[in-house]
Amino acid sequence: MKSPKRLFLFFLFLFFVVNLLQSAYTGLLEDEAYYWVWSNHLAWGYFDHPPLVALFIWLGGLVFEGELGVRLMSVFSFTLVLWFMWKTIEEPGKEQHVRLFFTLVISLALMQVYGFVSTPDTPLMLFTAVFFYTYKRFLQDDRLKNSVLLGISMAALVYSKYHGVLIIGFIVLSNFRMLLNPRFWVAAVFGFMLFIPHLFWQYENGFPSFVYHLKDRAYKPYELGFTLNHLLNVVVVAGITFPVIYAAFWKKKAQNLLERSFKFSVYGFVLFFLLTSFRSQPQAQWLAAMLIPLGIFIFPYFIHNEGARKWLYRLGFAQLGLVVIARILLAVPAASPVVLEPHWADLWVPEVKEKTNSLPLVFVNSYQNASIYNFYTGIDTHSYGIPRGRKSQYALLDTEEAVQGRSVYAIGKQLTEHSFLTRKMDQDLYGYAIDPFRSFQHIECIIDLESLEMRPGQEVRIPFKLINTYDIALNFENIRLMGVFQNRKKLVLEEFELDFPYLKSMKAHETRELEAVFIVPDTLQNPGITFRVGASFNNLPAGIQGNKVLVNFVPRK
């Protein structure tokens, strides 16, 4: 191990083996199961994110089944992240500080998660590292080959997660003169051309990702806790080493354009998501990609500052102990004093399977439950979206068609009038059998108005379009159109049936002009309330067929 190269490869191999074992012996997170469902339906895009995470999982599934198949590419990906970070560091004599580099990697706490977990941040971390490496090469020599490689890495960033656009933007902000370089525009145009298949997929499907993230996403009324949570996340992603990590970042000055790009990226992530905290509750993983430029940038500082280096070793080894304990608790449920997410499925999936006689399940408002149940049982599932929640990839898949006309079990925490099935952590799940199951959740109920004016206690007549998007005719024996009032937090305040006695059937792709006629409930007078028209099937709650329209309440006369 006296050879720096061999020492580096040894540590790289050690991380690889540990992550491989962790992947095989740790239960799936619910989001991982959701992305696994995507991987069974490969496409150029998905409702929530671009497609690379699904491709990664699909590739792993070609080699292994189960959890290891879902995570295999994550293990390889993390190994490559470390390699590209090392190659990007421009520090003479870095080979003499291999142990310091891996201590720094351990000190960037959140990075450890992406050594085995499969989420969109997994390919994002990889291609962030690749992007900075190709940017370094481009700055050294902007010949056509490096322009093409830069363009490929730019496309891969955005194919990983839309946050990749931020990284590209921060690089441009750090080096505006690059906009005058024709070779940079070659890279940008080439990267955009590679991204066209995803944009075309968005166009064909009605831009579901853009509509969700920019319009329909549940932005909550601002709370100070959102901003405080973001500031806490900045600390959490670095772990207990955060004092020395951020002190090094603050004290080190950028010496060249590459280091300037690292500095801009870290500041950019912190400030951008600080601003978004005024619209929604931030999540720690949103900051994951900034750990790549942060680690590369501060590594030379620890080489040249003995005092900081000693503290990094002390806190880094302490953090290593915490990481080892956390990994053991994740993989060994019996050793954990608390029930962690990878252990959840073992507690409720077998019981539900037994009580529902292994029937296909229709989960109300839970794409995560539908995904994890499908993964661990192989039984067909479908997620039925309701206004209290949101649409998901299940709105674009053929899972509704797969359960049509079959005997199924509907299950959800909302179905409290039916049989209790099991308790899943902090929620009770109820359900009932439906035979046969019939639903048409993709019909549309569109109100073409910017806002509605209502007076409590009085009758209103709201015009809307009912659109049959299916290739078959509908009959309304099993369909009830519903009016739904919600508050700013999407809580359903009122849900009631709308009366359409003469509506018996609709032809395929037919559009009807209808009026929702009802008495406005007296209890609805607060600001921020919205109204929509939805459809109910098999006595389930109303679905997400209609657009939300803001209601302006006027006082009684």
Side-chain angles (χ1 to χ4, degrees), residues 143-153 183 186-187 190 194:
R143 57 181 171 174
L144 184 60
K145 175 184 175 181
N146 289 334
S147 293
V148 171
L149 291 175
L150 184 64
I152 292 172
S153 65
R183 293 294 174 85
V186 170
F190 184 62
L194 293 177

Side-chain angles (χ1 to χ4, degrees), residues 19 71 83 85 91 113 125 128 143 184 203 244 278 281 338 357 373 473 529:
N19 287 326
R71 294 167 170 159
W83 189 85
M85 287 179 67
E91 179 61 30
V113 175
M125 295 282 280
T128 298
R143 57 181 171 174
F184 170 75
Y203 168 76
V244 291
F278 292 96
Q281 189 165 0
V338 295
N357 298 317
Y373 188 88
I529 291 177

Side-chain angles (χ1 to χ4, degrees), residues 112-163:
Q112 312 312 309
V113 175
Y114 297 105
F116 63 97
V117 167
S118 288
T119 71
D121 293 291
T122 305
L124 179 66
M125 295 282 280
L126 171 60
F127 290 109
T128 298
V130 172
F131 175 71
F132 280 110
Y133 175 70
T134 56
Y135 179 59
K136 170 189 171 181
R137 292 185 53 168
F138 180 81
L139 290 175
Q140 294 171 341
D141 183 358
D142 63 355
R143 57 181 171 174
L144 184 60
K145 175 184 175 181
N146 289 334
S147 293
V148 171
L149 291 175
L150 184 64
I152 292 172
S153 65
M154 292 165 75
L157 272 176
V158 191
Y159 267 118
S160 300
K161 197 173 182 179
Y162 297 120
H163 289 175

Side-chain angles (χ1 to χ4, degrees), residues 360 362 380 382 398-408 434-442 470 472 474 478 537-538:
V362 175
D380 288 338
H382 173 59
D398 58 0
T399 53
E400 181 192 39
E401 180 62 29
V403 295
Q404 292 282 37
R406 299 171 66 183
S407 178
V408 307
I434 301 174
D435 186 16
F437 178 81
R438 296 286 183 191
S439 71
F440 299 94
Q441 68 181 59
H442 299 307
Y470 290 84
I472 60 174
L474 304 184
N478 188 41
F537 314 94
N538 308 287

Side-chain angles (χ1 to χ4, degrees), residues 479-513:
I479 303 175
R480 295 183 301 150
L481 297 181
M482 312 287 288
V484 181
F485 283 99
Q486 293 176 269
N487 64 11
R488 287 175 174 170
K489 294 186 177 182
K490 300 181 69 175
L491 181 68
V492 175
L493 304 175
E494 296 283 349
E495 180 175 313
F496 49 88
E497 185 173 359
L498 300 171
D499 187 24
F500 297 98
Y502 300 108
L503 185 61
K504 302 298 183 183
S505 64
M506 289 183 70
K507 298 177 182 178
H509 301 290
E510 181 183 357
T511 298
R512 294 274 187 94
E513 300 281 350

Side-chain angles (χ1 to χ4, degrees), residues 335-352:
S336 179
V338 295
V339 180
L340 302 173
E341 187 176 337
H343 315 154
W344 291 356
D346 289 339
L347 300 179
W348 71 273
V349 168
E351 185 176 3
V352 169

Side-chain angles (χ1 to χ4, degrees), residues 409-425:
Y409 223 92
I411 177 172
K413 65 180 181 180
Q414 304 84 359
L415 309 180
T416 54
E417 296 180 357
H418 301 279
S419 301
F420 172 78
L421 294 177
T422 189
R423 181 165 180 80
K424 181 200 169 188
M425 300 310 293

